[in-house]
Amino acid sequence: AAAALTREGGEDAFRRLFRFYRQRDAPDFRGVVDFSVPGGQVFRSQLSISSVSDQDACRAGLQPVSQWKAYGLNGYPGFIFIRNPFLPGCQRHWVKQCLKLYPQKPSVCNLDLHMAPEKTIDLWGQSKEQLRRKGSSKWEPRSLLEKLRWVTLGYHYNWETKKYSANHHTPFPSDLAFLSEQVAAACGFQGFQAQAGILNYYHFDSSLGIHVDESELDHSRPLLSFSFGQSSIFLLGGLKREEAPTAMFMHSGDIMVMSGFSRLLYHAVPRVLPNPEGTALPSCLDQALSSDLPVGSVIEHSSDEDWQVCAKYLQSSRINMTIRQVLAEGQKFPEESGTNAKGQAASEHGHHQENSRAKRHKRNTD
């Protein structure tokens, strides 16, 4: 059925395939690319092994680049798919950061639109006990962490103007910047600067609509995407929505790099799926972190208590981090007319309003 929809082409073929995979009545997944069994349009991709030392890779929680399994797709030059290159236990660090640290102020999140600032200061502290005690009933009230849909880091995207600006910026996390720099360098993009990040928090009823990431001023730098937790279907299309997309699985630890021709292609996430191993969590998240971390490692050990909260959250959720470089070296934002403190506040409100209206994840009925 998916193949037939793909062959049809014509008016908004992307939307038709998005709806097909969004179905809850077990659509046919035979047309979905699975990089664990490469073949067909999938080929091995060459990485820049000498650009990242084994020590720096280890400091970022990654295997030596020579051991990464990287793939490309015929018809999508510049697209690189890296199958879980993380060292055992290191995914846990990034999950904990996305749930405990990165949502803290001065980061911006979807809850800021609906709640007073003092109510969103410590989402982790307000949610951890509720999450730890949570049962399997979908009628239980959701914690604030479970209501989190997105967090922005660095340069904060304004959904109303569809622009970044110099006066809406907060410091970018140094550990995430280091991880991103190593992955970009391994893919041939040395000097990549992590300047903006969007963290998306998905549940089994979530999706991400069809869009293009084109607001960054420098399109010569790649878009990096990291996934943790449950699996998903990712659709990668063309320069127009009339072009049918290719569907692929993304599992915990997988990294996607969109560069060159593939940097400005339409893409979407129609469906979040239970991990294919049939267990509550993928086995790669059950692995313990080595007690012997290298000097200068950005990876931190998670306490058993913190990981219990993260693990409970991930049993029905997926976290995605997308990292971008907004400006080229030496580039500045164009002058903005009429900007002042009041105007910025209105802009920030528009950011949340537009995101909740046009780009939000679908929510539970509660």
Side-chain angles (χ1 to χ4, degrees):
L5 286 172
T6 300
R7 286 193 298 270
E8 284 181 24
E11 181 63 29
D12 204 350
F14 200 129
R15 172 63 61 184
R16 285 203 305 273
L17 215 55
F18 182 94
R19 287 199 302 262
F20 174 80
Y21 286 114
R22 180 78 185 136
Q23 294 175 87
R24 292 292 146 188
D25 53 347
D28 187 344
F29 293 138
R30 286 178 294 177
V32 182
V33 173
D34 186 347
F35 288 95
S36 65
V37 284
Q41 67 185 114
V42 176
F43 59 89
R44 286 298 293 261
S45 184
Q46 297 299 312
L47 297 174
S48 182
I49 295 174
S50 61
S51 297
V52 179
S53 69
D54 290 356
Q55 182 181 20
D56 280 346
C58 188
R59 287 173 59 208
L62 299 165
Q63 302 171 21
V65 178
S66 59
Q67 297 180 20
W68 294 9
K69 296 183 175 71
Y71 303 93
L73 279 175
N74 287 322
Y76 295 97
F79 175 77
I80 303 172
F81 189 103
I82 304 168
R83 283 185 54 212
N84 184 15
F86 290 94
L87 289 166
C90 289
Q91 288 189 53
R92 292 187 175 191
H93 169 84
W94 303 109
V95 171
K96 184 193 70 174
Q97 298 296 78
C98 287
L99 291 175
K100 185 176 182 178
L101 182 66
Y102 297 157
Q104 294 180 9
K105 299 307 174 207
S107 298
V108 180
C109 74
N110 63 292
L111 298 178
D112 295 329
L113 175 62
H114 312 288
M115 303 175 66
E118 61 271 17
K119 297 290 188 181
T120 61
I121 290 176
D122 185 16
L123 301 180
W124 175 268
Q126 297 182 70
S127 304
K128 60 181 182 180
E129 288 303 324
Q130 186 178 350
L131 263 173
R132 191 180 290 114
R133 296 192 308 266
K134 197 172 184 67
S136 58
S137 171
K138 62 182 179 181
W139 304 114
E140 292 184 62
R142 290 180 300 162
S143 65
L144 286 180
L145 271 181
E146 291 171 293
K147 295 179 181 178
L148 196 61
R149 289 297 176 265
W150 54 262
V151 168
T152 53
L153 309 170
Y155 287 113
H156 300 281
Y157 187 67
N158 185 318
W159 299 103
E160 189 172 80
T161 64
K162 295 182 169 57
K163 294 179 180 178
Y164 298 94
S165 65
N167 57 2
H168 194 189
H169 174 268
T170 55
F172 195 92
S174 59
D175 58 345
L176 185 52
F178 185 75
L179 170 69
S180 303
E181 290 159 8
Q182 308 317 306
V183 172
C187 294
F189 296 95
Q190 290 180 288
F192 175 85
Q193 299 176 47
Q195 297 174 335
I198 298 179
L199 315 180
N200 283 315
Y201 301 82
Y202 299 84
H203 304 299
F204 282 134
D205 62 342
S206 300
S207 63
L208 181 65
I210 305 165
H211 68 284
V212 176
D213 293 294
E214 60 184 356
S215 297
E216 295 74 28
L217 275 64
D218 182 13
H219 294 157
S220 69
R221 312 304 275 172
L223 176 74
L224 310 180
S225 172
F226 302 85
S227 289
F228 305 105
Q230 301 298 323
S231 300
S232 71
I233 291 179
F234 179 80
L235 298 180
L236 182 61
L239 295 171
K240 299 179 180 179
R241 287 171 59 129
E242 290 79 6
E243 299 178 50
T246 295
M248 61 195 79
F249 290 115
M250 286 196 73
H251 304 304
S252 191
D254 290 343
I255 301 173
M256 290 193 312
V257 179
M258 297 172 66
S259 66
F261 171 80
S262 294
R263 176 64 178 78
L264 296 175
L265 299 182
Y266 279 99
H267 54 278
V269 177
R271 185 89 177 265
V272 176
L273 301 166
N275 94 82
E277 296 169 287
T279 51
L281 290 181
S283 57
C284 59
L285 289 171
D286 289 333
Q287 298 170 315
L289 182 63
S290 169
S291 58
D292 185 23
L293 294 174
V295 175
S297 175
V298 301
I299 303 297
E300 300 172 347
H301 284 93
S302 299
S303 68
D304 290 341
E305 178 185 353
D306 282 356
W307 180 245
Q308 286 173 10
V309 177
C310 294
K312 177 70 78 167
Y313 177 89
L314 288 182
Q315 286 180 9
S316 59
S317 306
R318 168 181 177 257
I319 298 173
N320 178 255
M321 311 187 301
T322 57
I323 314 302
R324 313 104 191 282
Q325 178 170 334
V326 177
L327 301 167
E329 186 72 35
Q331 188 177 21
K332 295 183 179 180
F333 288 101
E335 290 291 328
E336 298 182 30
S337 59
T339 55
N340 52 40
K342 185 176 180 180
Q344 179 58 24
S347 164
E348 290 180 16
H349 180 74
H351 167 111
H352 304 308
Q353 202 169 39
E354 180 66 13
N355 195 78
S356 63
R357 183 170 63 244
K359 204 177 177 186
R360 70 180 184 269
H361 299 306
K362 298 196 183 297
R363 305 178 180 220
N364 290 327
T365 53
D366 62 341

